[in-house]
Amino acid sequence: MSAEKVIFNLLKNHAPLVAQVPVSRIYPSVIPLTATLPAISYNHVSTVEETDIGLNTEVLRSRVQVTVAVSGTDSQSYAKVKELISLITAACNHKKGIFNGVVTNSVIRDVLSPDFRDDDSGVSYQSIDFRVVYKE
């Protein structure tokens, strides 16, 4: 849960992002079907221990996925998804410090998913993963 706390803290404190997507539309796990779009969700994907001989403090590396969903016409929603992914990257990438009480060595962009569109609902979405290295 610590890595998710870090990502949520970074997202909710990035003014340009919350100007586009209010904090009330940033969800843990999944974006509810009834949510107003655009909306963002963040999910834990995996965690491994960073082990080393003589390591006194347990350091973990987690992957957290952040997904943005936007409704609208094809070209409008595509451009909005790309804009929000860029803001999410600016909020989270290349960060370190103490976020929401979690001592964080680094937050680094990992995987950017393909573009997706659900033509029936008119929703476009994309995900970006971040590697979060932190002390437990």
Side-chain angles (χ1 to χ4, degrees), residues 11 17 21 25-28 31 38-42 66-69 88:
L11 294 172
L17 177 62
V21 181
R25 287 193 250 152
I26 301 175
Y27 300 96
I31 298 169
I40 295 170
S41 68
Y42 57 95
V66 180
T67 302
V68 60
I88 290 165

Side-chain angles (χ1 to χ4, degrees), residues 11-102:
L11 294 172
K12 76 177 186 174
N13 287 300
H14 190 69
L17 177 62
V18 296
Q20 302 274 339
V21 181
V23 174
S24 62
R25 287 193 250 152
I26 301 175
Y27 300 96
S29 188
V30 296
I31 298 169
L33 292 174
T34 58
T36 301
L37 300 181
I40 295 170
S41 68
Y42 57 95
N43 297 295
H44 174 265
V45 175
S46 63
T47 299
V48 295
E49 289 184 24
E50 294 285 324
T51 57
D52 196 0
I53 295 174
L55 189 65
N56 293 326
T57 305
E58 188 166 329
V59 177
L60 301 173
R61 183 181 70 231
S62 294
R63 200 168 101 214
V64 177
Q65 185 173 79
V66 180
T67 302
V68 60
V70 173
S71 62
T73 65
D74 285 342
S75 60
Q76 290 174 333
S77 60
Y78 181 81
K80 189 65 165 179
V81 165
K82 296 303 179 185
E83 177 186 2
L84 292 174
I85 287 291
S86 179
L87 289 171
I88 290 165
T89 301
C92 298
N93 198 29
H94 294 261
K95 300 293 193 283
K96 67 179 189 173
I98 300 174
F99 306 107
N100 207 12
V102 180

